[in-house]
């Protein structure tokens, strides 16, 4: 019966609908501090927020959305200083932040080493997407929670982005019963997602058109933005395969037992064969824990410099996203 095995969304749970007042914000902040997922209004669309420092909390975002892959997520922050603590800004990035934050603009910048952001947020990438939302309720929540919030749009994978709390709570297409709470602040004013800008060899690139027109950005920068198709070298388009971290080592999937010389990454109890210093995504076979550990373990295995073998991962729930990621990592690259 349970399609999603060990970490099914608790469908008996009622999603709290919180008023955007002091009590509602305090409640949402307390839920976030407890590692829960909460839907929050932003000026663009409702976001599905969780503590960006916690791999497990971020894994719950993916589980809730039933996203079959790990797209990197946007980190929402209360003020520019908080953004500077996790991302490296150059003069252009700082100029855009000064001109358009808070507002519907997301910047993809180098991730600081000491940022403290869970690797699942960036899907293991060396860059991070940061944004300061303008919505007063989002800003109050960010200050009350006092943490960076990872938040994709608060819809199930494949559904359209929600611009009202009713969309988030829709019993057919929404997340009712699957998340702890939604802060209801009525309709979002912008209604489309933020514009995403990144840099490729110093050249600003429009990664996703959105609420802030590209022409306005170009005017502020004094130069046009390249679009993803125009840039040479590494494309970093949202959701594109090449924008994801890939280990250098070869990767063998669905490996029930390790071969000699391989670094083994287990899931659940390890095979009896003698293993040297094996890694484990989750000794108890918990998919939330496995997702939270995935990118750190891939990096660790890669550092060891041997071929990597990964135990079979169940093909349901969060397991689908983990398998998707491993499949990309194992794909031959040219
Ligand atoms: O308006 C918005 O941006 C909304 C609200 C909730 O803030 N959020 C949103 O998130 O649209 P989401 O997850 O639906 O879209 C985030 C996009 C994805 O396409 C992802 O690939 C891209 O941002 N992204 C995030 N980090 C990235 C990175 N390091 N490099 C390239 N693209 C990145
Ligand atoms: Mg989305």
């Amino acid at each position: 019966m349970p399609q999603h095995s060990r970490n099914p969304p608790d469908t008996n749970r009622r999603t709290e609908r919180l008023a955007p007042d002091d009590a509602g914000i305090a409640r949402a902040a307390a839920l976030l501090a407890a590692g829960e997922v909460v839907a929050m209004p932003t000026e663009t669309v409702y976001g599905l927020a969780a503590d960006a420092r916690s791999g497990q909390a971020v894994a719950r975002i993916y589980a809730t959305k039933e996203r079959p892959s790990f797209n990197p997520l946007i980190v929402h922050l209360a003020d520019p200083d908080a953004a500077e603590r996790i991302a490296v800004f150059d003069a252009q990035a700082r100029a855009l932040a000064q001109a358009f934050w808070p507002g519907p603009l997301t910047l993809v910048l180098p991730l600081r080493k000491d940022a403290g952001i869970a690797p699942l947020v960036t899907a293991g990438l060396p860059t991070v997407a940061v944004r300061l939302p303008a919505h007063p309720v989002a800003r109050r929540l960010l200050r009350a929670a006092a943490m960076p919030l990872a938040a994709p749009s608060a819809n199930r994978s494949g559904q359209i982005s929600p611009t009202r709390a009713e969309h988030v709570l829709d019993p057919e297409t929404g997340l009712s019963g699957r998340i702890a709470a939604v802060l209801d602040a009525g309709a979002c004013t912008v209604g489309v997602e933020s514009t995403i800008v990144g840099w490729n060899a110093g050249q600003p690139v429009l990664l996703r058109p959105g609420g802030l027109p590209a022409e306005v950005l170009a005017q502020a920068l004094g130069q046009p933005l390249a679009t993803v198709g125009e840039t040479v070298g590494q494309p970093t388009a949202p959701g594109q395969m090449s924008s994801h971290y890939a280990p250098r080592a070869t990767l063998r999937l669905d490996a029930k037992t390790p071969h000699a010389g391989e670094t083994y990454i287990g899931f659940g109890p390890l095979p009896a064969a003698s293993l040297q210093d094996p890694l484990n995504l989750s000794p108890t076979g918990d998919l939330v824990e496995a997702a939270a550990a995935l990118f750190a373990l891939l990096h660790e295995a890669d550092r060891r410099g041997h071929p990597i073998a990964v135990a079979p991962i169940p093909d349901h729930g969060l397991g689908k996203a983990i398998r998707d990621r491993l499949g990309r990592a194992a794909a031959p690259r040219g």
Side-chain angles (χ1 to χ4, degrees):
M1 162 230 113
Q3 274 187 5
H4 301 288
S5 77
R6 301 190 66 96
N7 301 107
D10 181 355
T11 40
N12 293 321
R13 179 169 192 185
R14 240 185 82 247
T15 297
E16 296 173 39
R17 189 170 187 155
L18 302 172
D21 54 16
D22 286 351
I25 291 198
R27 174 71 183 146
L31 288 165
L32 290 166
E36 299 272 7
V37 172
V38 170
M40 67 167 175
T42 82
E43 73 279 24
T44 58
V45 300
Y46 275 74
L48 196 56
D51 184 352
R53 303 164 305 180
S54 160
Q56 299 234 7
V58 175
R60 283 194 196 102
I61 292 178
Y62 289 103
T64 302
K65 281 184 75 93
E66 295 181 338
R67 222 177 213 182
S69 63
F70 294 124
N71 251 358
L73 304 176
I74 297 171
V75 179
H76 297 67
L77 301 147
D79 54 66
D81 285 351
E84 298 249 7
R85 281 196 293 275
I86 68 169
V88 181
F89 285 69
D90 64 7
Q92 278 197 334
R94 204 162 282 138
L96 290 184
Q98 266 162 16
F100 302 111
W101 278 355
L105 171 67
T106 295
L107 302 175
V108 174
L109 299 170
L111 175 69
R112 278 194 192 282
K113 281 205 166 47
D114 57 354
I117 298 297
L120 198 53
V121 171
T122 59
L125 291 172
T127 53
V128 63
V130 287
R131 136 165 160 83
L132 262 70
H135 198 293
V137 175
R139 289 169 63 75
R140 282 169 67 199
L141 179 62
L142 281 160
R143 281 196 299 269
M147 60 175 74
L149 293 176
S153 49
N155 51 279
R156 280 196 222 171
S157 185
Q159 302 285 339
I160 53 171
S161 297
T163 55
R164 311 186 67 98
E166 287 79 13
H167 303 157
V168 179
L169 291 171
D170 187 290
E172 298 295 313
T173 58
L175 304 171
S176 188
R178 307 168 65 92
I179 57 175
V182 55
L183 263 171
D184 183 357
C188 303
T189 51
V190 176
V192 295
E193 285 92 341
S194 60
T195 302
I196 306 183
V197 175
W199 278 264
N200 194 326
Q203 156 88 17
V205 183
L206 181 69
L207 295 176
R208 179 179 75 181
L212 188 67
E215 301 77 43
V216 176
L217 286 163
Q219 196 162 38
L221 288 171
Q223 73 183 101
L225 283 84
T227 53
V228 174
E230 287 166 12
T231 57
V232 284
Q234 269 195 329
T236 46
Q240 276 193 10
M241 193 164 170
S242 44
S243 74
H244 291 260
Y245 166 75
R248 288 159 300 151
T250 62
L251 214 114
R252 191 163 66 84
L253 303 180
D254 292 311
K256 292 204 176 70
T257 51
H259 296 163
E262 284 179 336
T263 297
Y264 191 70
I265 302 181
F267 176 79
L270 290 166
S274 69
L275 293 170
Q276 238 189 330
D277 205 4
L279 304 169
N280 202 330
L281 286 162
S282 168
T284 59
D286 178 317
L287 287 169
V288 168
E289 185 180 36
L294 178 65
F295 289 102
L297 286 192
L298 278 178
H299 278 284
E300 167 58 25
D302 206 19
R303 249 193 313 271
R304 295 189 187 176
H306 306 296
I308 304 168
V310 189
I313 309 293
D315 193 17
H316 53 67
L318 266 182
K320 277 205 191 299
I322 296 172
R323 292 182 63 88
D324 168 82
R325 177 81 283 276
L326 290 170
R328 289 164 193 249
R333 46 211 90 108

